[in-house]
Structures are given as C-alpha cells and as structure tokens.
Amino acid sequence: MKPYEMNALQAGEAIRSKQLSPVELVDSVLERIEAVDGRVGAYVTVTADLARAAAATAADEIAAGRYRGPLHGVSVGVKDLVDTAGVLTTSSSRTMAGNVPTSDGAVVERLREAGAVMVGKTQTHEFAFGVITPTTRNPWNLDHIPGGSSGGSGAALAAGMCHLAIGTDTGGSIRIPSAVNGVVGLKPTYGRVSRRGIASLSWSLDHVGPMARTVADVAAMLQVLAGYDRADPATVAEPVPDYSAQLTRDLAGVRLGLPRNYFFDNTDPAVEAAVRAAAEALAGAGAEVVEVDVPLPAAYMPAEYALFMSEASAYHQRRLRDQANHFEPDVRLLLEAGEMILATDYIKALRVRTLLQAGWRDLFATGLDAVIAPTLPNVAAKVGQEQFTHGEPEAIIDSYVRTSAPGNLTGLPALSVPCGFSDDGLPIGLQIIGKPFREAEVLGLGAAWERLNPAAGRVPELA
C-alpha cells in the first residue's frame, strides 16, 4: 500500500512507529495530487512548500520525543472557506481574489497544534452557497459532480489526495459530498466545534466538522476539533468525551428509528434498497429497528430556505452591492432572492425551527438511540444535470438538501457513512442522526455499520 492510500490512523501509526516519516507521507500525497488533480480539480491552492516544511518540522519533533498524537504528520485538506494564515483564502469566489488572512481559523489552529500537515485548500461551491462545486469532478466517475459545498474535500479524500479534510455544513454540505464520494463525514451538534475564522453562510445553521475515509479517522479528528471557544459565542462548554472509546460497541440494546415518512420520498430505488438492507443488517447484528414518523415533514424545506437565504443575504449585503458582477450567476440569484424574504417570514421560520427541535426531542424520548435514513435520496448527479426524476421531478439542490436539512435545523449530530453503490458504480450514503452532543454514540453506530458493510474500504479506480 502506498502512503497516500492509507487511512489517517494507519498513516499516523506508521509515523509513530517510525516505519514512515512525515516527509515521506506528504511527498506521497503531493505526488498523488500532481498525478490526478488535473482531472478531479479538488484543490484551489496546493501548499506544497509549506506542507514539506511542516512535515520536516513534524519529523524533527517526533525524533526529539515531542510526539503530539495520532494525527502528527498526517495530511489534511482545508476547505477554502476557512482562514489559513499566510495562505490564499477565497471561498472559491472572485469577490475574494487576493485575500490572504493573517491568522488561522479555529479548526486549522487546532489541527496544527495536533501536528497535522495542511497540503492545500479544497474547492467549495462559491461561499458554500450550493451543492455542486462546479470546478470539481467526482473521482468515481468524472462525468458526475462531487456534491457540495465541501465537494473539493470529498473528492480529495476519495482520490487519495489527503487523509483528512475540513468541511462545513449549512444544509448538508459535509454529508452531501461525503455520500456521493463514498467517504465519511460528521456534522457535529450545533455549538460543538468553533466556527471562528470561517466565512458564514447562515449564522444559525452553519456547522464545521471532520471528513475522512473511515469512522475511526473522523472520531480522531473530532477529538482535536471539539471544544468551547470563547471567540465563537455559539460554542457550548460541554465536556468532550473520548470519541474512540465507543467505536467497538456492539448493537445489543440499541434502538434505531427508520422513518416511514419524508426521508424515502422521491428516492432512487438503488438508494432505498441499500439503506433498507443496512437497516436489516443492523437488526441482524442485534439492534432493534422500529419504524417512526419524523415530525412536521412539510416544514423542513420552507424553514431551511427562509433562514439560510435571509442570513446569507444579510452577511453578503455589502459585497453584493459593491461586486454583484463578480458573483457566479447562481449564487447572485440566490443572494438577491434572499433580500426579498420578508422579516415576518424569517420570524415564522425561527418559530418553525423551535417546533421541529421539540418534535425531534419528543421522538428521541420514545427510547431511540438514533434515526437511520438515506443521507441523500439520489446518487451523484451528472455534470449539467438539473433535476432528479425519481417520483416527482426535483431540482438537484432541493433533493440533496431535503434529507440533510433536518440535521441543520435541529442542530443534532448527523453522520454520513458509505452504504453501497448504485448499478453504475456511484456511492450511496447512510445517515445516522443522534441526540445532542452524543457524537460518540453516533460514531459508534457508524463504526458498527462499517464493520457490517460488505463494500467498506472500496476506492475509485482513478489511475
């Protein structure tokens, strides 16, 4: 196995045991980027010289006995929405051309403290306002999209161009690219991870979180990222548990809800079959799987759009006035549409969100440990495709956001983990939604499914 093909913890262990140096690891990743990123387009900026210098520093520290932990020397791609000191940070927007921050975002700061080595900035849909990431292609089939808005992070992981990646999620943008690229992504509980130093899309819906190729890697990365930050007033001083401790849990006594409504509407038959097969496998391994009704199914999309479009338009208002022609047409249209939403509709959406949060609290009060569902109703769309047609025709963005928005509106932790493939070889995602601040339990369930999944570990045949 080549170093870039290892998962993050395998690479970290090889470094710790001195079978591999951080310099050898980063060289392998940079060679992989050089070989394939011309076709995939996962990176907006590759920081090769800085990465080699950071890897050399990591090697010196480890040789001197200053080992920082399992991510020391491991490569990470950072979504271009996150500030990185001295490195171009554009949010994939012409309006931010030439922007070089003087400090790191909180998540980058924490990864550097853990010894991780940034290899570059990954592409995003402009300002994270979309689900396509038009500059990037899906490594499983280059004719298809990588999802968004963290599409660069998802594609980079799937193609072996980093071991870990940072994503952000306002309407599903960690879980969408995780599902369509066949990797693992966790949207933590709202308030679990600091968003300091990240361009906002919607203050009350934005989350930041880990993406990787295995559940264990995501758990190790969350261990570094989680925790209170007084500079982000949304973070919560909740204790941070040992996320790896529950990865070996068995399923005896676990009660899982499988939605009867909403999540399987207008769904690709291949996706529905894969998710229901996963539910049967989890039940066969000891979990109790019960059908449930998710609350207020008609309320998610209106509330999600009213909140994030209004807040995005407020955040970008001055930029929209001064540089409207520098936005991509789709993002400009959404920002201008957001300005037409009435304040009364925004207030109603806030009220609906409160009702949704109460509804999910009541759902979990029935004794559920988690709800399992499709991450997305469909697989990766073709480049240029505008709709899915399983059931009622549905725009790509509506289809992808529909099943991920409940996690954003409620703030509940939600994990996407690979769950098989369509007949044409495109990945499918299983979503696991848990109780507030119970990421350890969600990750434990994800790891349990990963052990049962016959397709786990499959990688794209991108030469």
Side-chain angles (χ1 to χ4, degrees), residues 126-196:
E126 185 177 24
F127 283 113
F129 211 164
V131 298
I132 293 173
T133 315
T135 46
T136 308
R137 295 292 179 266
N138 192 310
W140 291 92
N141 186 328
L142 297 175
D143 292 331
H144 290 253
I145 66 168
S149 63
S150 310
S153 291
L157 285 166
M161 292 189 280
C162 60
H163 295 89
L164 303 166
I166 284 290
T168 65
D169 191 316
T170 303
S173 292
I174 289 174
R175 291 160 288 157
I176 294 166
S178 294
V180 302
N181 288 289
V183 300
V184 183
L186 174 71
K187 184 201 76 63
T189 309
Y190 187 80
R192 175 58 95 183
V193 178
S194 172
R195 303 166 303 175
R196 170 167 52 87

Side-chain angles (χ1 to χ4, degrees), residues 4-5 26-37 39 156 158-162 460-463:
Y4 76 79
E5 295 174 316
V26 79
D27 280 345
S28 176
V29 172
L30 292 172
E31 287 169 7
R32 179 65 173 171
I33 293 172
E34 178 70 23
V36 304
D37 202 38
R39 285 171 286 159
M161 292 189 280
C162 60
E461 296 178 1
L462 187 68

Side-chain angles (χ1 to χ4, degrees), residues 12-309:
E13 175 57 23
I15 288 172
R16 188 200 64 78
S17 61
K18 297 185 170 55
Q19 298 174 49
L20 180 70
S21 80
V23 175
E24 291 172 320
L25 182 65
V26 79
D27 280 345
S28 176
V29 172
L30 292 172
E31 287 169 7
R32 179 65 173 171
I33 293 172
E34 178 70 23
V36 304
D37 202 38
R39 285 171 286 159
V40 177
Y43 283 93
V44 61
T45 301
V46 177
T47 54
D49 291 343
L50 292 173
R52 290 193 174 96
T57 298
D60 291 344
E61 288 177 340
I62 293 168
R66 297 196 296 275
Y67 179 64
R68 299 188 186 214
L71 303 188
H72 203 166
V74 175
S75 70
V76 58
V78 176
K79 186 175 182 177
D80 199 35
L81 210 66
V82 185
D83 283 352
T84 41
V87 176
L88 196 64
T89 301
T90 69
S91 300
S92 295
S93 176
R94 288 177 293 167
T95 68
M96 297 287 285
N99 176 56
V100 179
T102 57
S103 60
D104 288 326
V107 289
V108 175
E109 191 176 276
R110 293 187 178 197
L111 285 167
R112 288 195 203 277
E113 289 169 358
V117 174
M118 185 181 79
V119 293
K121 303 297 289 291
T122 56
Q123 291 278 10
T124 171
H125 204 117
E126 185 177 24
F127 283 113
F129 211 164
V131 298
I132 293 173
T133 315
T135 46
T136 308
R137 295 292 179 266
N138 192 310
W140 291 92
N141 186 328
L142 297 175
D143 292 331
H144 290 253
I145 66 168
S149 63
S150 310
S153 291
L157 285 166
M161 292 189 280
C162 60
H163 295 89
L164 303 166
I166 284 290
T168 65
D169 191 316
T170 303
S173 292
I174 289 174
R175 291 160 288 157
I176 294 166
S178 294
V180 302
N181 288 289
V183 300
V184 183
L186 174 71
K187 184 201 76 63
T189 309
Y190 187 80
R192 175 58 95 183
V193 178
S194 172
R195 303 166 303 175
R196 170 167 52 87
I198 299 176
S200 178
L201 177 59
S202 170
W203 297 284
S204 69
L205 296 170
D206 290 342
H207 300 67
V208 58
M211 299 171 67
R213 292 198 283 269
T214 69
V215 174
D217 287 355
V218 164
M221 192 173 175
L222 182 64
Q223 200 71 54
V224 170
L225 302 180
Y228 175 68
D229 178 5
R230 64 182 301 173
D232 179 356
T235 55
V236 177
E238 188 78 13
V240 176
D242 180 348
Y243 292 115
S244 299
Q246 293 196 46
L247 295 183
T248 56
R249 68 180 294 185
D250 64 39
L251 294 168
V254 170
R255 194 162 189 255
L256 302 173
L258 182 68
R260 265 187 294 256
N261 61 337
Y262 189 72
F263 279 94
F264 288 102
D265 293 348
N266 292 347
T267 297
D268 183 331
V271 173
E272 179 162 356
V275 172
R276 293 196 183 281
E280 290 179 9
L282 289 164
E288 180 187 5
V289 179
V290 297
E291 290 193 328
V292 297
D293 293 316
V294 299
L296 301 173
Y300 296 99
M301 294 297 277
E304 174 76 16
Y305 279 116
L307 292 175
F308 86 72
M309 290 179 67

